[in-house]
Amino acid sequence: MPSSKRDHARIERRLIASLIDACEAAKAEIVGFDWLTHEADYQAFPQSRRVIWVFDTMPNKDRALEAGQDKRMVELTSTAFEKAGVTALNVKRHVYFDSEEECAASQVGDWVTRLAKMHRVRGNYLG
């Protein structure tokens, strides 16, 4: 378990690079996928790690999930974690799905507020 800010920064740089690769792969493969972000509380790392896959619209998100594309996004997340040296027993527990449209409707497009809400929500889907 990393104990210093320097260790956290190294993990963060590696994870960002590997998640950029995952994001680009998903953009090429999954209709409506727009971008992703990640966050973690290093006091509770790696259990606190979250990767949020964001779609342009709710219908595109729903179609992708119904088509099983969530499995691909979990796979891409797992690969990114491995490349960054982040251990996770069940990667699926760290993956969330959202959409620009849902953020606009619930938080008037304020992603900072929306992501903060995720700390209080359990499960893989925000509402």
Side-chain angles (χ1 to χ4, degrees):
M1 168 111 162
S3 57
S4 73
K5 288 184 179 183
R6 182 175 289 179
D7 291 334
H8 297 166
R10 281 188 202 125
I11 291 169
E12 209 46 38
R13 282 192 302 274
R14 289 191 312 253
L15 188 57
I16 288 168
S18 60
L19 284 172
I20 287 171
D21 293 341
C23 183
E24 293 306 315
K27 282 181 179 180
E29 297 173 24
I30 302 169
V31 173
F33 170 71
D34 234 358
W35 56 279
L36 64 78
T37 190
H38 74 285
E39 59 185 4
D41 172 1
Y42 280 98
Q43 300 301 315
F45 190 82
Q47 299 83 356
S48 66
R49 173 66 59 199
R50 288 189 172 103
V51 178
I52 302 96
W53 294 79
V54 180
F55 287 80
D56 53 359
T57 65
M58 289 185 291
N60 278 337
K61 179 187 93 169
D62 293 343
R63 276 191 288 276
L65 298 177
E66 288 168 8
Q69 292 293 333
D70 54 326
K71 291 173 185 65
R72 177 64 176 141
M73 290 177 275
V74 168
E75 177 185 299
L76 289 167
T77 303
S78 179
T79 299
F81 279 13
E82 287 172 18
K83 285 182 181 178
V86 174
T87 305
L89 297 177
N90 184 357
V91 174
K92 187 175 181 177
R93 294 185 68 204
H94 301 273
V95 174
Y96 294 77
F97 306 101
D98 207 344
S99 75
E100 289 283 355
E101 191 174 54
E102 288 168 297
C103 182
S106 298
Q107 280 80 32
V108 194
D110 182 350
W111 278 100
V112 172
T113 300
R114 186 147 180 94
L115 293 173
K117 176 185 174 188
M118 289 186 71
H119 291 291
R120 299 185 305 268
V121 176
R122 295 186 66 83
N124 281 358
Y125 303 96
L126 290 173

